[in-house]
Amino acid sequence: MSKNLILSYQKSGLNFIRYCVEFLTKEITPGRTRLIPSSKPKKKQIYAFRRSHYSVKTRPDENLIILIRDYRELACRPFGDSPASPQSREERIKDLSRRYKSFFKIYEKHQGKKAIIYYEDLIENLLPITEIILKVFDLNIKEDLDLFIRNEKKHREKSFTLGNRRFSDGYSKKFHQRKASASVLAEMENFMKNELGELSIYLDRYSESLK
């Protein structure tokens, strides 16, 4: 079993992290789509990391990354291809509050190497965030990292294509929430703060009231 673990909510950018890790390290990551063909039986494969969208028990020697995305984006985006996820915005913000709360509790209790990665930083500052991921997970680079960053757009497009998703050259932090009213977004922010309590400090970057 891998000594590395990523916890994230669905649609938070995990597939792009998988792509970066597979391309740069040539190690396999868990998921339907793979960049590296393997002849090994599935049972014997050791992944670069294990992943979960839910609360799990961590090991003391495990390296942990929590991947976080703006909860308003996740609450407002369509999840038609993920039937296991809550479909309404109201259900999803409740689900997000429960899972983010559990993730942050796990993070604070974990004694091993750990980091919180924000999706927005991954997209806007790929080089330093990739370096953090590789360092926390003790992964060895087998490709030219600078060249990878210079071809970032090409790699991002390929990661979308492999996942059978449409690639857009543009990027907006608030693409899915743009049609929600200011009052609805404020309600979501207040709800998350109330539900997470002191743990909501990890979501301060998304707080309109602190800007």
Side-chain angles (χ1 to χ4, degrees):
M1 181 181 293
S2 174
K3 65 175 183 177
N4 301 320
L5 170 65
I6 294 184
L7 297 178
S8 69
Y9 199 85
Q10 293 95 323
K11 307 297 184 181
S12 293
L14 180 57
N15 275 343
F16 187 50
I17 288 181
R18 288 185 57 225
Y19 177 92
C20 294
V21 168
E22 290 197 8
F23 184 88
L24 291 169
T25 71
K26 307 308 177 190
E27 294 196 33
I28 299 169
T29 63
R32 289 192 301 270
T33 303
R34 292 183 188 163
L35 301 176
I36 305 171
S38 175
S39 58
K40 295 180 182 179
K42 194 169 185 180
K43 293 182 184 178
K44 297 182 179 179
Q45 290 177 341
I46 298 178
Y47 296 116
F49 55 80
R50 63 188 182 106
R51 64 174 185 172
S52 178
H53 294 312
Y54 300 92
S55 178
V56 296
K57 187 175 182 179
T58 62
R59 305 190 307 272
D61 64 336
E62 201 159 32
N63 304 319
L64 173 67
I65 285 179
I66 308 290
L67 176 60
I68 297 297
R69 187 174 184 177
D70 188 340
Y71 52 87
R72 295 164 302 188
E73 276 293 279
L74 294 172
C76 292
R77 70 169 295 159
F79 271 60
D81 57 345
S82 298
S85 297
Q87 294 301 299
S88 74
R89 187 170 59 203
E90 293 75 15
E91 291 175 332
R92 200 172 303 140
I93 198 68
K94 291 178 182 178
D95 189 45
L96 276 157
S97 70
R98 288 190 293 267
R99 286 203 245 171
Y100 273 12
K101 188 174 184 176
S102 69
F103 291 168
F104 294 141
K105 283 184 176 180
I106 290 171
Y107 179 81
E108 292 199 338
K109 290 179 180 178
H110 188 65
Q111 299 300 309
K113 291 171 66 175
K114 59 186 178 181
I116 293 179
I117 299 296
Y118 294 92
Y119 171 79
E120 296 78 17
D121 293 340
L122 177 69
I123 299 302
E124 297 176 347
N125 300 289
L126 183 59
L127 176 58
I129 299 304
T130 300
E131 290 177 329
I132 290 172
I133 294 169
L134 297 173
K135 184 176 181 179
V136 171
F137 281 173
D138 292 322
L139 296 172
N140 296 318
I141 301 177
K142 297 180 180 178
E143 288 285 343
D144 187 325
L145 181 55
D146 290 333
L147 180 61
F148 177 78
I149 296 300
R150 289 200 295 272
N151 292 314
E152 177 182 344
K153 179 183 173 183
K154 180 188 75 173
H155 290 298
R156 196 185 308 283
E157 182 174 2
K158 187 174 181 181
S159 76
F160 270 69
T161 304
L162 287 167
N164 294 318
R165 292 166 296 153
R166 186 177 62 183
F167 175 77
S168 173
D169 193 19
Y171 165 68
S172 171
K173 290 182 181 180
K174 301 183 178 183
F175 179 79
H176 295 290
Q177 60 188 281
R178 71 192 188 283
K179 294 183 179 180
S181 67
S183 61
V184 166
L185 296 176
E187 286 177 11
M188 285 195 278
E189 180 178 332
N190 291 332
F191 179 82
M192 292 294 280
K193 285 183 176 180
N194 291 333
E195 292 297 309
L196 270 68
E198 293 182 356
L199 293 172
S200 66
I201 189 173
Y202 295 110
L203 300 176
D204 277 354
R205 61 162 51 202
Y206 304 124
S207 175
E208 294 295 331
S209 60
L210 297 178
K211 295 179 181 178

